[in-house]
Amino acid sequence: MSIILPVVVLLTVMIVQACVAYYAKQIALTAAREGVQAATAYQSTDAAGAGRARAVLDRVAGGSLLAPGVSTAGSTEERATVTVTGRAPSLLPGFAGIRITQSASAPRERWTVKP
């Protein structure tokens, strides 16, 4: 019995840590999707997309995504890309946590001339 208890506790901590990392990943993906939706609207800018992603992170992330960052690097005239980075909180003191990076990309709304 004395050998089983530490194994059960370790497995429990590992499962909970995986759930925390998954939740942080979903928060980052939601912010990236919201940001790209704002950036791809007709006559919108990358700054609008980044601002929308930051607003979602401020509203939703709380302590579930640490040190969040938003980038629109990789955006072009035809496609908008928003990348959200951060870290999932660690259950073990002294460890930085799992690094999270989620990205969303979509074509921009624009008028085109039919050839």
Side-chain angles (χ1 to χ4, degrees):
M1 189 64 159
S2 62
I3 296 176
I4 295 174
L5 183 62
V7 171
V8 170
V9 170
L10 179 64
L11 286 174
T12 303
V13 169
M14 289 173 59
I15 290 169
V16 172
Q17 182 67 60
C19 292
V20 168
Y22 178 77
Y23 183 60
K25 182 178 176 180
Q26 292 304 310
I27 290 172
L29 183 58
T30 298
R33 286 180 177 170
E34 289 283 329
V36 85
Q37 183 181 13
T40 58
Y42 183 65
Q43 294 184 340
S44 187
T45 63
D46 289 341
R52 177 75 174 269
R54 283 188 195 94
V56 169
L57 288 171
D58 290 343
R59 188 176 69 238
V60 176
S64 299
L65 185 65
L66 305 175
V70 177
S71 171
T72 56
S75 292
T76 65
E77 199 172 296
E78 294 181 2
R79 290 191 72 79
T81 301
V82 176
T83 303
V84 176
T85 59
R87 286 184 295 108
S90 175
L91 297 177
L92 301 174
F95 291 99
I98 300 169
R99 182 152 177 76
I100 304 291
T101 301
Q102 290 294 305
S103 196
S105 182
R108 295 184 190 272
E109 294 178 4
R110 59 191 175 96
W111 287 102
T112 58
V113 179
K114 197 172 190 178

